[in-house]
Amino acid sequence: MSEFPELVPRLESYATIKTWRERHGRYRMQGTRCKKCGEKWFPPRVGLPCPKCYANDMEPFECATNGVVTTVQHEVMGYPCMGYGELSPRKICMIKLDDGIHIISEVVDALSEDVKPDVRVKMVFRKHKREENGSWMYGYKFVLDK
């Protein structure tokens, strides 16, 4: 018998060191900005040149936490998604943040009919799923901005 009340997915594993390196992007939505041309990138481009001006000088940048839904995909798997609870359908959206960055994320705590293009959303910090070792993986999701 498992000590966890829900199923622990064993579909993929995450390296502890990789999780630690990506913590700023996952927990604070921190991207990078090119010091030469000012172009913003998320996820962060660490150790990579700027594709716009080819400069190798990036600085940390806190992405906006509010934005607008541009595209909505209601994901109906036909079965419960392992590790994600009983939430169905999931609302996977393309979101344009107020600083111009586009990201793909899930909109939670809303009815499917309320999540549509041009709706304002804000970032929240939530549980994502269980890791292979049973620990929770946290990260950002979005809720409707009322």
Tab-separated table of all heavy atoms in Angstrom, residues 75-109:
chain	number	residue	atom	x	y	z
A	75	GLU	N	-8.119	20.275	-23.175
A	75	GLU	CA	-7.505	18.961	-23.301
A	75	GLU	C	-8.363	17.924	-22.603
A	75	GLU	O	-8.435	17.888	-21.377
A	75	GLU	CB	-6.099	19.004	-22.692
A	75	GLU	CG	-5.322	17.741	-22.884
A	75	GLU	CD	-3.942	17.880	-22.273
A	75	GLU	OE1	-3.045	18.381	-22.952
A	75	GLU	OE2	-3.795	17.498	-21.094
A	76	VAL	N	-9.019	17.086	-23.360
A	76	VAL	CA	-9.821	16.001	-22.817
A	76	VAL	C	-9.119	14.702	-23.190
A	76	VAL	O	-9.088	14.308	-24.350
A	76	VAL	CB	-11.254	16.011	-23.391
A	76	VAL	CG1	-12.083	14.891	-22.777
A	76	VAL	CG2	-11.904	17.352	-23.144
A	77	MET	N	-8.523	14.064	-22.197
A	77	MET	CA	-7.754	12.855	-22.451
A	77	MET	C	-8.645	11.616	-22.603
A	77	MET	O	-8.252	10.637	-23.184
A	77	MET	CB	-6.759	12.623	-21.316
A	77	MET	CG	-5.800	13.758	-21.089
A	77	MET	SD	-4.555	13.917	-22.361
A	77	MET	CE	-3.557	12.505	-22.044
A	78	GLY	N	-9.848	11.657	-22.018
A	78	GLY	CA	-10.705	10.484	-22.036
A	78	GLY	C	-10.467	9.596	-20.835
A	78	GLY	O	-11.181	8.634	-20.598
A	79	TYR	N	-9.436	9.912	-20.084
A	79	TYR	CA	-9.105	9.195	-18.857
A	79	TYR	C	-8.414	10.182	-17.933
A	79	TYR	O	-7.901	11.201	-18.384
A	79	TYR	CB	-8.199	7.990	-19.139
A	79	TYR	CG	-6.958	8.330	-19.918
A	79	TYR	CD1	-5.794	8.741	-19.270
A	79	TYR	CD2	-6.946	8.274	-21.300
A	79	TYR	CE1	-4.660	9.078	-19.975
A	79	TYR	CE2	-5.805	8.608	-22.019
A	79	TYR	CZ	-4.669	8.996	-21.340
A	79	TYR	OH	-3.543	9.326	-22.044
A	80	PRO	N	-8.390	9.904	-16.616
A	80	PRO	CA	-7.728	10.859	-15.717
A	80	PRO	C	-6.238	10.972	-16.039
A	80	PRO	O	-5.573	9.971	-16.308
A	80	PRO	CB	-7.933	10.253	-14.327
A	80	PRO	CG	-9.025	9.269	-14.483
A	80	PRO	CD	-9.003	8.806	-15.904
A	81	CYS	N	-5.713	12.176	-16.039
A	81	CYS	CA	-4.287	12.406	-16.282
A	81	CYS	C	-3.523	12.007	-15.035
A	81	CYS	O	-3.749	12.567	-13.965
A	81	CYS	CB	-4.031	13.878	-16.590
A	81	CYS	SG	-4.964	14.485	-17.975
A	82	MET	N	-2.619	11.058	-15.146
A	82	MET	CA	-1.866	10.609	-13.976
A	82	MET	C	-1.021	11.737	-13.414
A	82	MET	O	-0.297	12.398	-14.140
A	82	MET	CB	-0.969	9.428	-14.343
A	82	MET	CG	-1.732	8.145	-14.514
A	82	MET	SD	-0.655	6.737	-14.652
A	82	MET	CE	0.120	6.741	-13.067
A	83	GLY	N	-1.145	11.959	-12.128
A	83	GLY	CA	-0.356	12.974	-11.464
A	83	GLY	C	-0.987	14.343	-11.463
A	83	GLY	O	-0.497	15.244	-10.809
A	84	TYR	N	-2.047	14.545	-12.203
A	84	TYR	CA	-2.663	15.857	-12.301
A	84	TYR	C	-4.026	15.926	-11.630
A	84	TYR	O	-4.743	16.891	-11.777
A	84	TYR	CB	-2.798	16.276	-13.770
A	84	TYR	CG	-1.477	16.558	-14.411
A	84	TYR	CD1	-0.832	15.589	-15.155
A	84	TYR	CD2	-0.851	17.777	-14.238
A	84	TYR	CE1	0.387	15.839	-15.740
A	84	TYR	CE2	0.365	18.035	-14.817
A	84	TYR	CZ	0.980	17.063	-15.571
A	84	TYR	OH	2.189	17.312	-16.141
A	85	GLY	N	-4.430	14.885	-10.931
A	85	GLY	CA	-5.703	14.903	-10.232
A	85	GLY	C	-6.856	14.610	-11.171
A	85	GLY	O	-6.690	14.081	-12.256
A	86	GLU	N	-8.030	14.962	-10.753
A	86	GLU	CA	-9.243	14.643	-11.496
A	86	GLU	C	-9.737	15.807	-12.342
A	86	GLU	O	-10.892	15.825	-12.748
A	86	GLU	CB	-10.342	14.231	-10.505
A	86	GLU	CG	-9.966	13.038	-9.653
A	86	GLU	CD	-9.763	11.765	-10.486
A	86	GLU	OE1	-10.469	11.578	-11.489
A	86	GLU	OE2	-8.885	10.980	-10.129
A	87	LEU	N	-8.905	16.810	-12.567
A	87	LEU	CA	-9.341	17.992	-13.310
A	87	LEU	C	-9.425	17.678	-14.798
A	87	LEU	O	-8.424	17.408	-15.444
A	87	LEU	CB	-8.360	19.142	-13.076
A	87	LEU	CG	-8.149	19.527	-11.626
A	87	LEU	CD1	-7.060	20.568	-11.524
A	87	LEU	CD2	-9.426	20.042	-11.017
A	88	SER	N	-10.617	17.695	-15.326
A	88	SER	CA	-10.795	17.420	-16.737
A	88	SER	C	-11.984	18.231	-17.234
A	88	SER	O	-13.003	18.278	-16.558
A	88	SER	CB	-11.038	15.931	-16.951
A	88	SER	OG	-11.119	15.646	-18.312
A	89	PRO	N	-11.943	18.869	-18.346
A	89	PRO	CA	-10.774	19.002	-19.199
A	89	PRO	C	-9.812	20.066	-18.668
A	89	PRO	O	-10.234	21.014	-18.018
A	89	PRO	CB	-11.370	19.433	-20.528
A	89	PRO	CG	-12.600	20.188	-20.165
A	89	PRO	CD	-13.122	19.524	-18.920
A	90	ARG	N	-8.540	19.871	-18.959
A	90	ARG	CA	-7.547	20.877	-18.599
A	90	ARG	C	-7.601	21.983	-19.642
A	90	ARG	O	-7.810	21.736	-20.814
A	90	ARG	CB	-6.156	20.251	-18.554
A	90	ARG	CG	-6.048	19.215	-17.449
A	90	ARG	CD	-4.729	18.476	-17.475
A	90	ARG	NE	-3.627	19.385	-17.269
A	90	ARG	CZ	-2.423	19.210	-17.819
A	90	ARG	NH1	-2.175	18.188	-18.590
A	90	ARG	NH2	-1.458	20.070	-17.588
A	91	LYS	N	-7.410	23.225	-19.215
A	91	LYS	CA	-7.436	24.373	-20.112
A	91	LYS	C	-6.001	24.828	-20.364
A	91	LYS	O	-5.416	25.524	-19.545
A	91	LYS	CB	-8.259	25.517	-19.509
A	91	LYS	CG	-9.750	25.322	-19.575
A	91	LYS	CD	-10.472	24.760	-18.426
A	91	LYS	CE	-10.186	25.154	-17.049
A	91	LYS	NZ	-10.608	24.147	-16.076
A	92	ILE	N	-5.427	24.416	-21.464
A	92	ILE	CA	-4.063	24.778	-21.837
A	92	ILE	C	-4.153	25.995	-22.757
A	92	ILE	O	-4.832	25.956	-23.778
A	92	ILE	CB	-3.348	23.620	-22.549
A	92	ILE	CG1	-3.451	22.325	-21.735
A	92	ILE	CG2	-1.895	23.982	-22.832
A	92	ILE	CD1	-2.832	22.377	-20.364
A	93	CYS	N	-3.482	27.074	-22.379
A	93	CYS	CA	-3.632	28.341	-23.106
A	93	CYS	C	-2.292	28.928	-23.523
A	93	CYS	O	-1.285	28.753	-22.836
A	93	CYS	CB	-4.335	29.372	-22.218
A	93	CYS	SG	-5.964	28.883	-21.692
A	94	MET	N	-2.320	29.638	-24.638
A	94	MET	CA	-1.219	30.509	-25.025
A	94	MET	C	-1.546	31.851	-24.400
A	94	MET	O	-2.639	32.387	-24.603
A	94	MET	CB	-1.126	30.634	-26.535
A	94	MET	CG	-0.091	31.632	-26.999
A	94	MET	SD	1.589	31.067	-26.827
A	94	MET	CE	1.692	29.916	-28.162
A	95	ILE	N	-0.607	32.377	-23.627
A	95	ILE	CA	-0.840	33.614	-22.881
A	95	ILE	C	0.209	34.640	-23.287
A	95	ILE	O	1.404	34.341	-23.298
A	95	ILE	CB	-0.780	33.351	-21.364
A	95	ILE	CG1	-1.872	32.358	-20.970
A	95	ILE	CG2	-0.905	34.652	-20.578
A	95	ILE	CD1	-1.733	31.811	-19.579
A	96	LYS	N	-0.255	35.840	-23.635
A	96	LYS	CA	0.658	36.948	-23.924
A	96	LYS	C	0.761	37.775	-22.652
A	96	LYS	O	-0.205	38.397	-22.216
A	96	LYS	CB	0.148	37.815	-25.065
A	96	LYS	CG	1.101	38.944	-25.392
A	96	LYS	CD	0.608	39.769	-26.549
A	96	LYS	CE	1.618	40.877	-26.831
A	96	LYS	NZ	1.146	41.758	-27.883
A	97	LEU	N	1.948	37.762	-22.041
A	97	LEU	CA	2.165	38.521	-20.822
A	97	LEU	C	2.224	40.014	-21.136
A	97	LEU	O	2.451	40.412	-22.285
A	97	LEU	CB	3.456	38.062	-20.141
A	97	LEU	CG	3.484	36.593	-19.718
A	97	LEU	CD1	4.845	36.233	-19.136
A	97	LEU	CD2	2.389	36.281	-18.730
A	98	ASP	N	2.052	40.831	-20.112
A	98	ASP	CA	2.031	42.280	-20.309
A	98	ASP	C	3.348	42.837	-20.838
A	98	ASP	O	3.383	43.931	-21.385
A	98	ASP	CB	1.647	42.986	-19.002
A	98	ASP	CG	0.189	42.748	-18.631
A	98	ASP	OD1	-0.596	42.325	-19.512
A	98	ASP	OD2	-0.165	42.970	-17.460
A	99	ASP	N	4.446	42.080	-20.683
A	99	ASP	CA	5.731	42.551	-21.212
A	99	ASP	C	6.013	42.015	-22.616
A	99	ASP	O	7.105	42.199	-23.142
A	99	ASP	CB	6.873	42.199	-20.259
A	99	ASP	CG	6.942	40.717	-19.942
A	99	ASP	OD1	6.268	39.922	-20.629
A	99	ASP	OD2	7.664	40.349	-18.998
A	100	GLY	N	5.024	41.342	-23.234
A	100	GLY	CA	5.166	40.895	-24.613
A	100	GLY	C	5.592	39.452	-24.795
A	100	GLY	O	5.584	38.940	-25.904
A	101	ILE	N	5.985	38.779	-23.742
A	101	ILE	CA	6.421	37.387	-23.835
A	101	ILE	C	5.198	36.486	-23.959
A	101	ILE	O	4.202	36.670	-23.269
A	101	ILE	CB	7.269	37.000	-22.606
A	101	ILE	CG1	8.581	37.776	-22.635
A	101	ILE	CG2	7.527	35.511	-22.557
A	101	ILE	CD1	9.463	37.557	-21.443
A	102	HIS	N	5.266	35.487	-24.842
A	102	HIS	CA	4.203	34.492	-24.990
A	102	HIS	C	4.637	33.206	-24.288
A	102	HIS	O	5.770	32.752	-24.487
A	102	HIS	CB	3.954	34.178	-26.465
A	102	HIS	CG	3.206	35.252	-27.176
A	102	HIS	ND1	3.809	36.382	-27.640
A	102	HIS	CD2	1.894	35.367	-27.482
A	102	HIS	CE1	2.908	37.153	-28.221
A	102	HIS	NE2	1.735	36.560	-28.136
A	103	ILE	N	3.733	32.619	-23.496
A	103	ILE	CA	4.018	31.342	-22.846
A	103	ILE	C	2.804	30.433	-22.990
A	103	ILE	O	1.703	30.884	-23.272
A	103	ILE	CB	4.371	31.506	-21.351
A	103	ILE	CG1	3.203	32.079	-20.581
A	103	ILE	CG2	5.601	32.354	-21.157
A	103	ILE	CD1	3.365	31.947	-19.093
A	104	ILE	N	3.034	29.151	-22.799
A	104	ILE	CA	1.953	28.172	-22.769
A	104	ILE	C	1.826	27.691	-21.337
A	104	ILE	O	2.814	27.274	-20.726
A	104	ILE	CB	2.252	26.994	-23.709
A	104	ILE	CG1	2.326	27.485	-25.138
A	104	ILE	CG2	1.176	25.915	-23.556
A	104	ILE	CD1	2.764	26.434	-26.130
A	105	SER	N	0.621	27.760	-20.782
A	105	SER	CA	0.391	27.351	-19.403
A	105	SER	C	-1.058	26.921	-19.238
A	105	SER	O	-1.894	27.137	-20.111
A	105	SER	CB	0.721	28.499	-18.443
A	105	SER	OG	0.581	28.069	-17.103
A	106	GLU	N	-1.335	26.338	-18.091
A	106	GLU	CA	-2.682	25.895	-17.768
A	106	GLU	C	-3.407	26.986	-16.984
A	106	GLU	O	-2.820	27.632	-16.123
A	106	GLU	CB	-2.613	24.618	-16.943
A	106	GLU	CG	-3.949	24.024	-16.620
A	106	GLU	CD	-3.856	22.718	-15.862
A	106	GLU	OE1	-2.735	22.258	-15.570
A	106	GLU	OE2	-4.914	22.153	-15.546
A	107	VAL	N	-4.686	27.194	-17.297
A	107	VAL	CA	-5.539	28.096	-16.518
A	107	VAL	C	-6.372	27.214	-15.597
A	107	VAL	O	-7.047	26.287	-16.056
A	107	VAL	CB	-6.434	28.956	-17.424
A	107	VAL	CG1	-7.397	29.787	-16.600
A	107	VAL	CG2	-5.578	29.864	-18.289
A	108	VAL	N	-6.303	27.479	-14.294
A	108	VAL	CA	-6.970	26.636	-13.299
A	108	VAL	C	-8.044	27.433	-12.567
A	108	VAL	O	-8.130	28.648	-12.683
A	108	VAL	CB	-5.948	26.057	-12.288
A	108	VAL	CG1	-4.985	25.113	-12.988
A	108	VAL	CG2	-5.184	27.152	-11.582
A	109	ASP	N	-8.840	26.720	-11.779
A	109	ASP	CA	-9.894	27.323	-10.945
A	109	ASP	C	-10.889	28.132	-11.771
A	109	ASP	O	-11.327	29.205	-11.355
A	109	ASP	CB	-9.299	28.216	-9.845
A	109	ASP	CG	-8.403	27.451	-8.891
A	109	ASP	OD1	-8.522	26.215	-8.836
A	109	ASP	OD2	-7.583	28.088	-8.219
